[in-house]
Amino acid sequence: MTEFVTGEAVALELRPARLPSRALAVLLDLVVALTVYVVLILALAAATASLDEAAQAAIAVASFLLLLVGVPIAVETLSHGRSLGKLAFGLRVVRDDGGPIRFRHALVRGAMGVVEILMTMGVVACIASFVSARGRRLGDVFAGTLVVRERIPVARTGFVAPPPPQVAALFTGLDLSGVPDELWLGVRQYLGRMGQLDQQISWSMAGRLANEVAARTGAPVPPGMPPAMYLAGVLQERQARDAHRAFGGGAGASHAPQPHTNTPYTNAPYGAPQPAQPYTPAPQGWPSRQHPAHQPPAPQAHPVPPVPAAAPAPADRPASEGRPASGTGFAPPA
């Protein structure tokens, strides 16, 4: 990945195309151009059979320059750096500042391509690409251009949970200028994929990355803070500064430092368990959510004494007791 700075001081990250992909793209362009050139030469030879040899040679040279030099220059100018081969392999020619090329850039590239590609069978172009740090041939050096890759595979990363506010506030004034882009890329990739790693491997990688970041910034990992949470806090600080530079004061309001509290680091994705939430009683006069509202007991009436049960009837007496004698109506005294 190479960083380019545009005229508006905006840093762009582009991936230069290497020699294998560029060679395949040039080979495809040459196959198509030579096929069209052979067909055109045969057609012109049949049409100019009555002309002398000098005229036929002049037509052949003009056809060669038109198809192998003029057509590629016109195609790159009109397509903003995409020829047929570059379009097939996902490449594009851009200026050194990342902008689209113009006619003068395509003209210089095409003229130098005749020397370093056609006349030397691509040997000079291959040597120049090997020597250049960004894989540029002589035509790119003189024209101020670069061939970059447009189709870059997107890495499948997970969601990076933001750190707690008290953690983000610790790195507000941190010096991040000494951290290279390769280390930032490693931190972003780790935080996006740490959920897919084994716990011990994830902790070991987080500790190694945190030590490298701490050595570059001079801010060690605070005691009791998981290394992954430290990396997330530093990365969020860099992203906040990038947003502040890109959007001005609009994003700076949310970048103000927040007061640090003694709350433990409790963001679960980064290794610390969540504490139990304390119970907060309901305000006076309002019912609690956990318990139903208290209501006074309803007044009860005084208990009524139970009514005694009636005495059981006495057992039947013998027939001779309490009954008059049969036939007289007189009952003797007891």
Side-chain angles (χ1 to χ4, degrees), residues 3 38 43 73 102 120 139 149 165 227 240 269-270 302:
E3 185 177 86
V38 170
I73 293 175
R102 302 182 183 275
T120 63
R149 295 178 57 184
Y270 299 108
H302 294 287

PDB file of all heavy atoms in Angstrom, residues 3 38 43 73 102 120 139 149 165 227 240 269-270 302:
ATOM      1  N   GLU A   3       1.044   5.586  -0.105  1.00  0.00           N
ATOM      2  CA  GLU A   3       0.272   6.776   0.225  1.00  0.00           C
ATOM      3  C   GLU A   3       0.651   7.893  -0.731  1.00  0.00           C
ATOM      4  O   GLU A   3       1.824   8.192  -0.932  1.00  0.00           O
ATOM      5  CB  GLU A   3       0.539   7.196   1.669  1.00  0.00           C
ATOM      6  CG  GLU A   3      -0.336   8.357   2.118  1.00  0.00           C
ATOM      7  CD  GLU A   3      -0.107   8.718   3.574  1.00  0.00           C
ATOM      8  OE1 GLU A   3       0.815   9.515   3.829  1.00  0.00           O
ATOM      9  OE2 GLU A   3      -0.824   8.197   4.436  1.00  0.00           O
ATOM     10  N   VAL A  38      -2.105  -7.128 -38.467  1.00  0.00           N
ATOM     11  CA  VAL A  38      -1.945  -8.106 -39.546  1.00  0.00           C
ATOM     12  C   VAL A  38      -3.130  -8.059 -40.505  1.00  0.00           C
ATOM     13  O   VAL A  38      -2.976  -8.092 -41.739  1.00  0.00           O
ATOM     14  CB  VAL A  38      -1.766  -9.514 -38.950  1.00  0.00           C
ATOM     15  CG1 VAL A  38      -1.842 -10.581 -40.038  1.00  0.00           C
ATOM     16  CG2 VAL A  38      -0.441  -9.608 -38.201  1.00  0.00           C
ATOM     17  N   ALA A  43      -5.163  -6.301 -45.851  1.00  0.00           N
ATOM     18  CA  ALA A  43      -6.149  -5.538 -46.618  1.00  0.00           C
ATOM     19  C   ALA A  43      -5.479  -4.431 -47.418  1.00  0.00           C
ATOM     20  O   ALA A  43      -5.832  -4.180 -48.592  1.00  0.00           O
ATOM     21  CB  ALA A  43      -7.205  -4.963 -45.678  1.00  0.00           C
ATOM     22  N   ILE A  73      -2.368   5.361 -27.250  1.00  0.00           N
ATOM     23  CA  ILE A  73      -2.400   6.706 -26.650  1.00  0.00           C
ATOM     24  C   ILE A  73      -3.823   7.246 -26.613  1.00  0.00           C
ATOM     25  O   ILE A  73      -4.272   7.802 -25.592  1.00  0.00           O
ATOM     26  CB  ILE A  73      -1.472   7.647 -27.446  1.00  0.00           C
ATOM     27  CG1 ILE A  73      -0.016   7.215 -27.261  1.00  0.00           C
ATOM     28  CG2 ILE A  73      -1.663   9.088 -26.997  1.00  0.00           C
ATOM     29  CD1 ILE A  73       0.959   8.021 -28.112  1.00  0.00           C
ATOM     30  N   ARG A 102      -3.849  12.730 -18.546  1.00  0.00           N
ATOM     31  CA  ARG A 102      -4.283  13.508 -19.699  1.00  0.00           C
ATOM     32  C   ARG A 102      -3.517  13.065 -20.943  1.00  0.00           C
ATOM     33  O   ARG A 102      -2.775  12.085 -20.909  1.00  0.00           O
ATOM     34  CB  ARG A 102      -4.103  15.002 -19.426  1.00  0.00           C
ATOM     35  CG  ARG A 102      -4.870  15.492 -18.202  1.00  0.00           C
ATOM     36  CD  ARG A 102      -4.710  16.977 -17.997  1.00  0.00           C
ATOM     37  NE  ARG A 102      -5.395  17.428 -16.791  1.00  0.00           N
ATOM     38  CZ  ARG A 102      -6.683  17.743 -16.744  1.00  0.00           C
ATOM     39  NH1 ARG A 102      -7.419  17.678 -17.851  1.00  0.00           N
ATOM     40  NH2 ARG A 102      -7.245  18.145 -15.607  1.00  0.00           N
ATOM     41  N   THR A 120      12.904  -3.446 -27.558  1.00  0.00           N
ATOM     42  CA  THR A 120      13.740  -4.308 -26.708  1.00  0.00           C
ATOM     43  C   THR A 120      12.983  -5.519 -26.190  1.00  0.00           C
ATOM     44  O   THR A 120      13.478  -6.183 -25.265  1.00  0.00           O
ATOM     45  CB  THR A 120      14.290  -3.491 -25.515  1.00  0.00           C
ATOM     46  OG1 THR A 120      13.203  -3.037 -24.721  1.00  0.00           O
ATOM     47  CG2 THR A 120      15.110  -2.315 -26.003  1.00  0.00           C
ATOM     48  N   GLY A 139       8.620   4.905 -18.961  1.00  0.00           N
ATOM     49  CA  GLY A 139       7.528   5.766 -19.410  1.00  0.00           C
ATOM     50  C   GLY A 139       6.767   6.383 -18.259  1.00  0.00           C
ATOM     51  O   GLY A 139       6.355   7.552 -18.319  1.00  0.00           O
ATOM     52  N   ARG A 149      -3.706  -0.793  -8.829  1.00  0.00           N
ATOM     53  CA  ARG A 149      -4.749  -1.805  -8.865  1.00  0.00           C
ATOM     54  C   ARG A 149      -6.069  -1.186  -8.417  1.00  0.00           C
ATOM     55  O   ARG A 149      -6.131  -0.524  -7.375  1.00  0.00           O
ATOM     56  CB  ARG A 149      -4.389  -2.976  -7.965  1.00  0.00           C
ATOM     57  CG  ARG A 149      -3.166  -3.753  -8.402  1.00  0.00           C
ATOM     58  CD  ARG A 149      -2.839  -4.862  -7.439  1.00  0.00           C
ATOM     59  NE  ARG A 149      -3.969  -5.777  -7.279  1.00  0.00           N
ATOM     60  CZ  ARG A 149      -3.973  -6.798  -6.426  1.00  0.00           C
ATOM     61  NH1 ARG A 149      -2.925  -7.002  -5.644  1.00  0.00           N
ATOM     62  NH2 ARG A 149      -5.012  -7.590  -6.344  1.00  0.00           N
ATOM     63  N   PRO A 165     -16.117   5.304  27.319  1.00  0.00           N
ATOM     64  CA  PRO A 165     -15.687   6.721  27.260  1.00  0.00           C
ATOM     65  C   PRO A 165     -14.491   7.017  28.143  1.00  0.00           C
ATOM     66  O   PRO A 165     -13.638   7.825  27.777  1.00  0.00           O
ATOM     67  CB  PRO A 165     -16.938   7.495  27.697  1.00  0.00           C
ATOM     68  CG  PRO A 165     -18.082   6.561  27.447  1.00  0.00           C
ATOM     69  CD  PRO A 165     -17.547   5.188  27.655  1.00  0.00           C
ATOM     70  N   PRO A 227      -5.146  -5.606  26.897  1.00  0.00           N
ATOM     71  CA  PRO A 227      -4.414  -5.044  25.749  1.00  0.00           C
ATOM     72  C   PRO A 227      -5.318  -4.713  24.569  1.00  0.00           C
ATOM     73  O   PRO A 227      -5.087  -3.726  23.872  1.00  0.00           O
ATOM     74  CB  PRO A 227      -3.409  -6.146  25.397  1.00  0.00           C
ATOM     75  CG  PRO A 227      -3.281  -6.971  26.639  1.00  0.00           C
ATOM     76  CD  PRO A 227      -4.603  -6.912  27.316  1.00  0.00           C
ATOM     77  N   ALA A 240     -10.640   9.607  15.395  1.00  0.00           N
ATOM     78  CA  ALA A 240     -11.251  10.886  15.759  1.00  0.00           C
ATOM     79  C   ALA A 240     -10.436  12.065  15.237  1.00  0.00           C
ATOM     80  O   ALA A 240     -10.984  13.064  14.770  1.00  0.00           O
ATOM     81  CB  ALA A 240     -11.400  10.976  17.281  1.00  0.00           C
ATOM     82  N   PRO A 269     -16.374  -7.093  25.166  1.00  0.00           N
ATOM     83  CA  PRO A 269     -15.629  -7.631  24.020  1.00  0.00           C
ATOM     84  C   PRO A 269     -14.124  -7.601  24.179  1.00  0.00           C
ATOM     85  O   PRO A 269     -13.418  -8.273  23.447  1.00  0.00           O
ATOM     86  CB  PRO A 269     -16.078  -6.727  22.861  1.00  0.00           C
ATOM     87  CG  PRO A 269     -17.381  -6.183  23.285  1.00  0.00           C
ATOM     88  CD  PRO A 269     -17.282  -6.026  24.761  1.00  0.00           C
ATOM     89  N   TYR A 270     -13.595  -6.809  25.103  1.00  0.00           N
ATOM     90  CA  TYR A 270     -12.152  -6.673  25.214  1.00  0.00           C
ATOM     91  C   TYR A 270     -11.590  -7.394  26.434  1.00  0.00           C
ATOM     92  O   TYR A 270     -10.494  -7.132  26.855  1.00  0.00           O
ATOM     93  CB  TYR A 270     -11.763  -5.199  25.259  1.00  0.00           C
ATOM     94  CG  TYR A 270     -12.184  -4.473  24.016  1.00  0.00           C
ATOM     95  CD1 TYR A 270     -13.228  -3.568  24.045  1.00  0.00           C
ATOM     96  CD2 TYR A 270     -11.567  -4.719  22.811  1.00  0.00           C
ATOM     97  CE1 TYR A 270     -13.624  -2.917  22.888  1.00  0.00           C
ATOM     98  CE2 TYR A 270     -11.949  -4.078  21.653  1.00  0.00           C
ATOM     99  CZ  TYR A 270     -12.986  -3.171  21.711  1.00  0.00           C
ATOM    100  OH  TYR A 270     -13.376  -2.535  20.559  1.00  0.00           O
ATOM    101  N   HIS A 302     -65.425  -6.330  63.330  1.00  0.00           N
ATOM    102  CA  HIS A 302     -65.187  -7.098  64.557  1.00  0.00           C
ATOM    103  C   HIS A 302     -65.766  -8.494  64.395  1.00  0.00           C
ATOM    104  O   HIS A 302     -66.847  -8.682  63.841  1.00  0.00           O
ATOM    105  CB  HIS A 302     -65.841  -6.409  65.757  1.00  0.00           C
ATOM    106  CG  HIS A 302     -65.188  -5.073  66.045  1.00  0.00           C
ATOM    107  ND1 HIS A 302     -63.940  -4.953  66.605  1.00  0.00           N
ATOM    108  CD2 HIS A 302     -65.632  -3.805  65.828  1.00  0.00           C
ATOM    109  CE1 HIS A 302     -63.624  -3.673  66.743  1.00  0.00           C
ATOM    110  NE2 HIS A 302     -64.649  -2.947  66.284  1.00  0.00           N
TER     111      HIS A 302
END
